[in-house]
Coordinates of all heavy atoms in Angstrom, one line a residue:
S1 N -27.7 4.5 -8.3 CA -26.4 3.9 -8.1 C -26.2 3.5 -6.6 O -27.0 3.9 -5.7 CB -25.3 4.9 -8.5 OG -25.1 5.9 -7.5
D2 N -25.2 2.8 -6.4 CA -24.9 2.3 -5.0 C -24.6 3.4 -4.0 O -25.0 3.4 -2.9 CB -23.8 1.3 -5.0 CG -24.1 0.0 -5.7 OD1 -25.3 -0.3 -5.7 OD2 -23.2 -0.7 -6.2
G3 N -23.9 4.5 -4.5 CA -23.6 5.6 -3.7 C -24.8 6.3 -3.2 O -25.0 6.7 -2.1
A4 N -25.8 6.6 -4.1 CA -27.0 7.3 -3.8 C -27.8 6.4 -2.8 O -28.4 7.0 -1.9 CB -27.8 7.6 -5.1
E5 N -27.9 5.1 -3.1 CA -28.6 4.3 -2.2 C -28.0 4.2 -0.8 O -28.7 4.3 0.2 CB -28.6 2.8 -2.8 CG -29.5 1.9 -2.0 CD -29.5 0.5 -2.6 OE1 -29.2 0.4 -3.8 OE2 -29.7 -0.5 -1.9
M6 N -26.7 4.2 -0.7 CA -26.0 4.2 0.6 C -26.3 5.5 1.3 O -26.5 5.6 2.5 CB -24.5 3.9 0.5 CG -23.8 3.9 1.8 SD -22.1 3.5 1.5 CE -21.6 3.4 3.2
G7 N -26.2 6.7 0.6 CA -26.5 8.0 1.1 C -27.9 8.1 1.7 O -28.1 8.6 2.8
A8 N -28.8 7.5 1.0 CA -30.2 7.5 1.5 C -30.4 6.7 2.7 O -31.1 7.0 3.7 CB -31.2 7.0 0.4
L9 N -29.7 5.5 2.8 CA -29.7 4.7 4.0 C -29.1 5.4 5.2 O -29.6 5.3 6.3 CB -29.0 3.4 3.7 CG -29.7 2.4 2.8 CD1 -28.9 1.2 2.4 CD2 -31.1 2.0 3.4
V10 N -28.0 6.1 5.0 CA -27.3 6.8 6.1 C -28.3 7.9 6.6 O -28.5 8.1 7.7 CB -26.0 7.4 5.6 CG1 -25.5 8.4 6.7 CG2 -25.0 6.3 5.4
G11 N -28.9 8.6 5.6 CA -29.9 9.6 6.0 C -31.1 9.0 6.8 O -31.6 9.6 7.7
D12 N -31.5 7.9 6.4 CA -32.6 7.2 7.1 C -32.2 6.8 8.5 O -33.0 7.0 9.5 CB -33.1 5.9 6.4 CG -33.8 6.2 5.1 OD1 -34.2 7.4 4.8 OD2 -34.0 5.3 4.3
V13 N -31.0 6.4 8.7 CA -30.5 6.0 10.0 C -30.4 7.3 10.9 O -30.8 7.3 12.1 CB -29.1 5.3 9.9 CG1 -28.5 5.2 11.3 CG2 -29.3 3.9 9.3
C14 N -29.9 8.4 10.3 CA -29.8 9.6 11.1 C -31.2 10.1 11.5 O -31.4 10.5 12.6 CB -29.1 10.7 10.3 SG -27.4 10.3 10.0
W15 N -32.2 10.0 10.6 CA -33.5 10.5 10.9 C -34.1 9.6 12.0 O -34.7 10.1 12.9 CB -34.4 10.4 9.6 CG -35.8 10.7 9.9 CD1 -36.4 12.0 9.9 CD2 -36.9 9.8 10.1 NE1 -37.7 11.9 10.2 CE2 -38.0 10.6 10.3 CE3 -37.0 8.4 10.2 CZ2 -39.3 10.0 10.6 CZ3 -38.2 7.8 10.5 CH2 -39.3 8.6 10.7
L16 N -33.9 8.3 11.9 CA -34.5 7.4 12.9 C -33.9 7.7 14.3 O -34.6 7.7 15.3 CB -34.2 5.9 12.5 CG -34.8 4.8 13.3 CD1 -36.4 4.9 13.3 CD2 -34.4 3.5 12.8
C17 N -32.6 7.9 14.3 CA -31.9 8.2 15.6 C -32.5 9.5 16.2 O -32.7 9.6 17.4 CB -30.4 8.4 15.4 SG -29.6 6.8 15.1
R18 N -32.7 10.6 15.3 CA -33.2 11.8 15.8 C -34.6 11.7 16.3 O -35.0 12.2 17.4 CB -33.2 12.9 14.7 CG -31.9 13.7 14.6 CD -32.1 14.9 13.7 NE -32.7 14.6 12.4 CZ -32.1 14.2 11.3 NH1 -30.8 14.0 11.4 NH2 -32.7 13.9 10.2
E19 N -35.4 10.9 15.6 CA -36.8 10.7 16.0 C -37.0 10.0 17.3 O -38.1 10.1 17.9 CB -37.6 10.0 14.9 CG -37.8 10.9 13.6 CD -38.5 12.2 13.9 OE1 -39.6 12.1 14.5 OE2 -38.1 13.2 13.6
T20 N -36.1 9.2 17.7 CA -36.2 8.4 19.0 C -36.2 9.4 20.2 O -36.8 9.1 21.2 CB -35.2 7.4 19.2 OG1 -33.9 8.0 19.2 CG2 -35.2 6.3 18.1
G21 N -35.5 10.5 20.0 CA -35.3 11.4 21.1 C -34.4 11.0 22.2 O -34.3 11.6 23.2
D22 N -33.8 9.8 22.0 CA -32.9 9.3 23.0 C -31.5 10.0 23.0 O -31.0 10.2 21.9 CB -32.7 7.8 22.8 CG -32.1 7.0 23.9 OD1 -31.3 7.7 24.7 OD2 -32.3 5.8 24.1
R23 N -31.0 10.4 24.1 CA -29.7 11.1 24.2 C -28.6 10.2 23.7 O -27.6 10.8 23.2 CB -29.4 11.4 25.6 CG -30.1 12.6 26.2 CD -29.6 13.0 27.5 NE -28.2 12.4 27.7 CZ -27.6 12.1 28.8 NH1 -28.2 12.4 29.9 NH2 -26.4 11.6 28.8
R24 N -28.7 8.9 23.8 CA -27.6 8.1 23.3 C -27.4 8.1 21.8 O -26.3 7.7 21.3 CB -27.8 6.6 23.8 CG -27.7 6.5 25.3 CD -28.1 5.1 25.7 NE -29.5 5.0 25.6 CZ -30.2 4.0 26.2 NH1 -29.6 3.1 26.9 NH2 -31.5 4.0 26.1
F25 N -28.3 8.7 21.1 CA -28.2 8.8 19.6 C -27.9 10.2 19.2 O -28.0 10.5 18.0 CB -29.5 8.3 19.0 CG -29.8 6.9 19.1 CD1 -31.0 6.5 19.7 CD2 -28.9 5.9 18.7 CE1 -31.3 5.1 19.9 CE2 -29.2 4.6 18.9 CZ -30.4 4.2 19.5
E26 N -27.4 11.0 20.1 CA -27.0 12.4 19.7 C -25.8 12.4 18.7 O -25.6 13.3 18.0 CB -26.7 13.2 20.9 CG -27.9 13.6 21.7 CD -27.6 14.4 23.0 OE1 -26.4 14.6 23.3 OE2 -28.6 14.7 23.7
G27 N -25.0 11.3 18.7 CA -23.9 11.2 17.8 C -24.3 11.0 16.4 O -23.5 11.1 15.5
S28 N -25.6 10.8 16.1 CA -26.0 10.6 14.8 C -25.9 11.9 14.0 O -25.8 11.9 12.8 CB -27.5 10.2 14.7 OG -28.4 11.2 15.2
Q29 N -25.9 13.1 14.7 CA -25.6 14.4 14.0 C -24.2 14.4 13.4 O -24.0 14.9 12.3 CB -25.8 15.5 15.0 CG -27.2 15.7 15.5 CD -27.3 16.8 16.5 OE1 -26.2 17.4 17.0 NE2 -28.5 17.1 17.0
L30 N -23.3 13.8 14.1 CA -21.9 13.7 13.5 C -21.9 12.8 12.3 O -21.3 13.1 11.3 CB -21.0 13.1 14.6 CG -19.5 12.9 14.2 CD1 -18.9 14.3 14.0 CD2 -18.8 12.2 15.2
L31 N -22.7 11.7 12.3 CA -22.8 10.8 11.2 C -23.4 11.6 10.0 O -22.9 11.5 8.9 CB -23.6 9.6 11.6 CG -23.9 8.6 10.4 CD1 -22.6 7.9 10.0 CD2 -24.9 7.5 10.9
G32 N -24.5 12.3 10.3 CA -25.1 13.0 9.2 C -24.3 14.1 8.6 O -24.3 14.3 7.4
G33 N -23.4 14.8 9.4 CA -22.6 15.8 8.9 C -21.4 15.2 8.0 O -20.9 16.0 7.2
H34 N -21.1 14.0 8.2 CA -20.0 13.4 7.5 C -20.5 12.4 6.5 O -19.7 11.6 5.9 CB -19.0 12.7 8.4 CG -18.3 13.7 9.3 ND1 -17.2 14.5 8.8 CD2 -18.4 14.0 10.6 CE1 -16.8 15.2 9.8 NE2 -17.5 15.0 10.9
A35 N -21.8 12.3 6.2 CA -22.4 11.3 5.4 C -21.8 11.3 4.0 O -21.5 10.3 3.4 CB -23.9 11.5 5.3
V36 N -21.6 12.5 3.4 CA -21.0 12.6 2.0 C -19.6 12.0 2.0 O -19.3 11.2 1.1 CB -21.0 14.1 1.6 CG1 -20.3 14.2 0.2 CG2 -22.4 14.6 1.5
G37 N -18.8 12.3 2.9 CA -17.5 11.7 3.0 C -17.5 10.2 3.2 O -16.6 9.5 2.6
I38 N -18.4 9.7 4.1 CA -18.5 8.3 4.3 C -18.9 7.6 3.1 O -18.3 6.5 2.7 CB -19.5 8.1 5.5 CG1 -18.9 8.6 6.8 CG2 -19.8 6.6 5.6 CD1 -19.9 8.7 7.9
V39 N -19.8 8.1 2.4 CA -20.3 7.4 1.1 C -19.2 7.4 0.1 O -18.9 6.4 -0.6 CB -21.6 8.1 0.6 CG1 -22.0 7.6 -0.7 CG2 -22.7 7.8 1.6
A40 N -18.5 8.6 0.0 CA -17.4 8.7 -1.0 C -16.3 7.7 -0.7 O -15.7 7.0 -1.6 CB -16.9 10.1 -1.0
H41 N -16.0 7.6 0.6 CA -14.9 6.6 1.0 C -15.3 5.2 0.8 O -14.5 4.3 0.4 CB -14.5 6.8 2.5 CG -13.4 6.0 2.9 ND1 -12.1 6.2 2.5 CD2 -13.3 4.9 3.7 CE1 -11.3 5.3 3.0 NE2 -12.0 4.5 3.7
A42 N -16.6 4.9 1.0 CA -17.1 3.5 0.7 C -17.0 3.2 -0.7 O -16.6 2.0 -1.1 CB -18.5 3.4 1.2
G43 N -17.2 4.2 -1.6 CA -17.1 3.9 -3.0 C -15.7 3.8 -3.6 O -15.4 3.1 -4.5
L44 N -14.8 4.6 -3.0 CA -13.5 4.7 -3.5 C -12.5 5.0 -2.3 O -12.3 6.1 -1.9 CB -13.3 5.9 -4.5 CG -12.0 6.0 -5.3 CD1 -11.9 4.7 -6.1 CD2 -12.0 7.2 -6.1
P45 N -12.1 3.9 -1.6 CA -11.4 4.0 -0.4 C -9.9 4.5 -0.6 O -9.0 3.7 -0.6 CB -11.4 2.6 0.3 CG -11.6 1.7 -0.9 CD -12.4 2.5 -1.9
I46 N -9.7 5.8 -0.7 CA -8.4 6.4 -0.9 C -8.0 7.1 0.4 O -8.8 7.9 1.0 CB -8.4 7.3 -2.1 CG1 -8.7 6.6 -3.3 CG2 -7.0 8.0 -2.2 CD1 -8.8 7.4 -4.6
S47 N -6.8 6.9 0.9 CA -6.3 7.6 2.1 C -5.4 8.7 1.7 O -4.6 8.6 0.7 CB -5.6 6.5 3.0 OG -5.0 7.2 4.0
S48 N -5.3 9.7 2.5 CA -4.4 10.8 2.3 C -3.1 10.6 3.1 O -2.3 11.5 3.2 CB -5.0 12.1 2.6 OG -5.4 12.2 3.9
G49 N -2.9 9.4 3.7 CA -1.8 9.2 4.6 C -0.5 9.4 3.9 O 0.4 10.0 4.5
R50 N -0.3 8.9 2.7 CA 1.0 9.1 2.1 C 1.3 10.6 1.8 O 2.5 11.0 2.0 CB 1.1 8.3 0.8 CG 2.5 8.4 0.1 CD 2.6 7.4 -1.0 NE 2.8 6.1 -0.4 CZ 3.7 5.2 -0.7 NH1 4.5 5.5 -1.7 NH2 3.8 4.1 -0.2
V51 N 0.3 11.3 1.4 CA 0.5 12.8 1.1 C 0.9 13.5 2.4 O 1.8 14.3 2.5 CB -0.7 13.4 0.5 CG1 -0.6 14.9 0.4 CG2 -1.0 12.8 -0.9
E52 N 0.1 13.2 3.5 CA 0.4 13.8 4.8 C 1.8 13.4 5.3 O 2.5 14.2 5.9 CB -0.7 13.4 5.8 CG -2.0 13.9 5.5 CD -2.1 15.4 5.5 OE1 -1.4 16.1 6.2 OE2 -2.9 15.9 4.7
G53 N 2.2 12.2 5.1 CA 3.5 11.8 5.5 C 4.6 12.5 4.7 O 5.7 12.9 5.3
T54 N 4.4 12.7 3.4 CA 5.4 13.4 2.6 C 5.5 14.9 3.1 O 6.6 15.4 3.2 CB 5.0 13.3 1.1 OG1 4.9 12.0 0.8 CG2 6.0 14.1 0.3
N55 N 4.3 15.5 3.4 CA 4.3 16.9 3.9 C 5.1 17.0 5.2 O 5.9 17.9 5.4 CB 2.9 17.4 4.1 CG 2.2 17.7 2.8 OD1 2.9 17.9 1.7 ND2 0.9 17.7 2.8
S56 N 4.9 16.0 6.1 CA 5.6 16.0 7.3 C 7.1 15.8 7.1 O 7.9 16.5 7.8 CB 5.1 14.9 8.2 OG 5.8 14.8 9.4
M57 N 7.5 15.0 6.2 CA 8.9 14.8 5.9 C 9.5 16.0 5.3 O 10.7 16.4 5.7 CB 9.0 13.6 4.9 CG 10.4 13.2 4.5 SD 11.1 14.0 3.0 CE 9.8 13.8 1.9
I58 N 8.8 16.8 4.5 CA 9.3 18.0 3.9 C 9.5 19.1 5.0 O 10.5 19.8 5.0 CB 8.4 18.5 2.8 CG1 8.6 17.6 1.6 CG2 8.8 19.9 2.4 CD1 7.6 17.9 0.4
K59 N 8.5 19.1 5.9 CA 8.6 20.1 7.0 C 9.9 19.8 7.9 O 10.6 20.7 8.3 CB 7.4 20.1 7.9 CG 6.2 20.7 7.3 CD 5.0 20.7 8.2 CE 3.8 21.3 7.5 NZ 2.6 21.3 8.4
T60 N 10.1 18.5 8.1 CA 11.3 18.1 8.9 C 12.6 18.5 8.2 O 13.5 19.0 8.7 CB 11.3 16.6 9.2 OG1 10.1 16.3 9.9 CG2 12.5 16.2 10.0
A61 N 12.6 18.2 6.9 CA 13.8 18.6 6.0 C 14.0 20.1 6.0 O 15.1 20.6 6.0 CB 13.6 18.0 4.6
R62 N 12.9 20.8 6.0 CA 13.0 22.3 6.0 C 13.6 22.8 7.3 O 14.5 23.7 7.3 CB 11.6 22.9 5.8 CG 11.7 24.4 5.6 CD 10.3 25.0 5.3 NE 9.4 24.7 6.3 CZ 8.1 24.7 6.2 NH1 7.6 25.1 5.0 NH2 7.3 24.4 7.2
G63 N 13.3 22.2 8.4 CA 13.9 22.6 9.7 C 15.3 22.2 9.7 O 16.1 23.0 10.3
Q64 N 15.7 21.1 9.2 CA 17.1 20.7 9.2 C 17.9 21.5 8.2 O 19.1 21.6 8.3 CB 17.2 19.2 8.8 CG 16.6 18.3 9.9 CD 16.5 16.8 9.4 OE1 16.8 16.5 8.3 NE2 16.2 15.9 10.4
A65 N 17.3 22.0 7.2 CA 18.0 22.8 6.1 C 18.2 24.3 6.5 O 18.7 25.0 5.7 CB 17.3 22.6 4.8
Y66 N 17.7 24.7 7.6 CA 17.9 26.1 8.0 C 19.3 26.5 8.0 O 20.2 25.8 8.5 CB 17.3 26.3 9.4 CG 17.3 27.7 9.9 CD1 16.4 28.6 9.4 CD2 18.3 28.2 10.7 CE1 16.4 29.9 9.8 CE2 18.3 29.5 11.1 CZ 17.3 30.4 10.6 OH 17.4 31.7 11.0
G67 N 19.6 27.6 7.3 CA 20.9 28.1 7.2 C 21.7 27.6 5.9 O 22.8 28.1 5.7
L68 N 21.1 26.8 5.1 CA 21.7 26.4 3.9 C 21.8 27.6 2.9 O 20.9 28.5 3.0 CB 21.0 25.3 3.2 CG 21.1 23.9 3.9 CD1 20.2 22.9 3.2 CD2 22.5 23.4 4.0
P69 N 22.7 27.6 2.0 CA 22.9 28.8 1.2 C 21.8 29.2 0.2 O 21.6 30.4 0.0 CB 24.2 28.6 0.5 CG 24.5 27.1 0.6 CD 23.7 26.6 1.8
D70 N 21.1 28.2 -0.3 CA 20.1 28.6 -1.3 C 19.0 27.5 -1.3 O 19.1 26.5 -0.7 CB 20.7 28.8 -2.7 CG 21.4 27.6 -3.2 OD1 21.3 26.5 -2.6 OD2 22.1 27.7 -4.2
D71 N 18.0 27.8 -2.1 CA 16.8 26.8 -2.2 C 17.2 25.5 -2.9 O 16.7 24.5 -2.6 CB 15.7 27.5 -3.0 CG 15.0 28.6 -2.2 OD1 15.1 28.6 -1.0 OD2 14.3 29.4 -2.9
G72 N 18.2 25.6 -3.8 CA 18.7 24.4 -4.5 C 19.2 23.3 -3.5 O 18.9 22.1 -3.6
C73 N 19.9 23.8 -2.5 CA 20.4 22.8 -1.4 C 19.2 22.2 -0.7 O 19.2 21.0 -0.3 CB 21.3 23.5 -0.5 SG 22.9 24.0 -1.2
F74 N 18.2 23.0 -0.4 CA 17.0 22.5 0.3 C 16.3 21.5 -0.5 O 15.9 20.4 0.0 CB 16.0 23.7 0.7 CG 14.7 23.1 1.1 CD1 14.5 22.5 2.3 CD2 13.6 23.3 0.3 CE1 13.3 22.0 2.7 CE2 12.4 22.8 0.6 CZ 12.2 22.1 1.8
F75 N 16.1 21.7 -1.8 CA 15.4 20.7 -2.6 C 16.2 19.4 -2.7 O 15.6 18.3 -2.7 CB 15.1 21.3 -4.0 CG 14.1 22.3 -4.0 CD1 14.3 23.6 -4.4 CD2 12.8 22.0 -3.6 CE1 13.4 24.6 -4.3 CE2 11.8 23.0 -3.5 CZ 12.1 24.3 -3.9
L76 N 17.5 19.5 -2.8 CA 18.4 18.3 -2.8 C 18.2 17.6 -1.5 O 18.1 16.3 -1.5 CB 19.8 18.7 -3.0 CG 20.2 19.1 -4.5 CD1 21.6 19.6 -4.5 CD2 20.0 18.0 -5.4
K77 N 18.2 18.3 -0.4 CA 18.0 17.6 0.9 C 16.6 17.0 1.1 O 16.5 15.9 1.6 CB 18.2 18.7 2.0 CG 18.4 18.1 3.4 CD 19.0 19.1 4.3 CE 19.5 18.6 5.6 NZ 20.6 17.7 5.5
A78 N 15.6 17.6 0.5 CA 14.2 17.0 0.6 C 14.1 15.8 -0.3 O 13.6 14.8 0.1 CB 13.2 18.1 0.1
I79 N 14.8 15.8 -1.5 CA 14.8 14.7 -2.4 C 15.5 13.5 -1.8 O 15.1 12.4 -1.8 CB 15.3 15.1 -3.8 CG1 14.3 16.0 -4.5 CG2 15.6 13.8 -4.6 CD1 14.9 16.6 -5.7
D80 N 16.7 13.8 -1.1 CA 17.5 12.8 -0.5 C 16.7 12.2 0.7 O 16.7 10.9 0.8 CB 18.8 13.4 0.1 CG 19.6 12.4 0.8 OD1 19.9 11.3 0.2 OD2 20.0 12.7 2.0
A81 N 15.9 13.0 1.4 CA 15.1 12.4 2.5 C 14.0 11.5 2.0 O 13.7 10.5 2.6 CB 14.6 13.6 3.4
S82 N 13.5 11.9 0.9 CA 12.4 11.1 0.3 C 12.8 9.7 -0.2 O 12.0 8.8 -0.4 CB 11.6 11.9 -0.8 OG 12.4 12.0 -1.9
H83 N 14.1 9.6 -0.5 CA 14.6 8.4 -1.1 C 15.2 7.4 -0.1 O 15.7 6.3 -0.4 CB 15.7 8.7 -2.2 CG 15.1 9.2 -3.4 ND1 15.1 10.5 -3.7 CD2 14.4 8.6 -4.4 CE1 14.5 10.7 -4.9 NE2 14.1 9.6 -5.3
R84 N 15.2 7.8 1.2 CA 15.7 6.9 2.2 C 14.9 5.7 2.4 O 13.6 5.7 2.5 CB 15.8 7.7 3.5 CG 16.9 8.8 3.5 CD 17.1 9.4 4.8 NE 17.9 10.5 4.7 CZ 17.9 11.5 5.5 NH1 17.1 11.6 6.5 NH2 18.8 12.5 5.3
K85 N 15.5 4.5 2.5 CA 14.8 3.3 2.6 C 14.0 3.2 3.9 O 12.9 2.6 3.9 CB 15.8 2.1 2.6 CG 16.5 2.0 1.3 CD 15.7 1.3 0.2 CE 16.6 1.1 -1.0 NZ 15.8 1.0 -2.2
D86 N 14.5 3.7 5.0 CA 13.8 3.6 6.3 C 12.5 4.4 6.3 O 11.6 4.2 7.1 CB 14.7 4.0 7.5 CG 15.2 5.4 7.4 OD1 15.2 6.0 6.3 OD2 15.5 6.0 8.4
R87 N 12.3 5.3 5.4 CA 11.1 6.1 5.4 C 9.9 5.3 4.7 O 8.8 5.6 5.0 CB 11.3 7.4 4.5 CG 12.3 8.3 5.2 CD 11.6 9.7 5.3 NE 12.6 10.6 5.8 CZ 12.4 11.2 7.0 NH1 11.4 11.0 7.7 NH2 13.4 12.0 7.4
W88 N 10.2 4.5 3.8 CA 9.2 3.7 3.1 C 9.3 2.3 3.4 O 8.6 1.5 3.2 CB 9.3 4.0 1.6 CG 9.3 5.4 1.2 CD1 10.4 6.1 0.8 CD2 8.3 6.4 1.3 NE1 10.1 7.4 0.6 CE2 8.8 7.6 0.9 CE3 6.9 6.3 1.7 CZ2 8.0 8.7 0.9 CZ3 6.2 7.4 1.7 CH2 6.7 8.6 1.3

């Protein structure tokens, strides 16, 4: 498949960089360590940005909800924050 072929090519590039012995190619170890993720992203480019943004929004709402009487109020505050037009 294309993913396996791309993984093999990334592995070949890493091997070639290591074999040169040139210090400028030391970053190829980083490429080799992330090869699986790079190939996966090339095949299916999904970002976790929306999830991370939602988590950040909930943390902010939790800080603002400190002192509210119960969890129900917090959940209402979090839902209200997620529906604001300026957030999306």
Side-chain angles (χ1 to χ4, degrees):
S1 76
D2 291 336
E5 185 178 336
M6 183 176 182
L9 290 172
V10 170
D12 290 346
V13 167
C14 291
W15 177 82
L16 187 62
C17 289
R18 271 193 311 273
E19 290 300 309
T20 63
D22 194 336
R23 283 188 20 203
R24 292 175 285 198
F25 293 123
E26 287 176 358
S28 68
Q29 292 175 356
L30 181 67
L31 176 67
H34 294 283
V36 172
I38 292 168
V39 171
H41 183 73
L44 191 63
I46 297 175
S47 171
S48 64
R50 183 167 286 228
V51 173
E52 294 298 329
T54 301
N55 286 341
S56 177
M57 184 264 315
I58 290 172
K59 285 181 183 179
T60 302
R62 186 174 58 197
Q64 293 171 350
Y66 183 77
L68 290 177
D70 59 10
D71 289 341
C73 291
F74 165 70
F75 288 118
L76 287 173
K77 196 161 190 67
I79 289 170
D80 179 52
S82 70
H83 287 101
R84 292 188 187 154
K85 297 281 186 203
D86 61 335
R87 294 234 184 242
W88 307 107

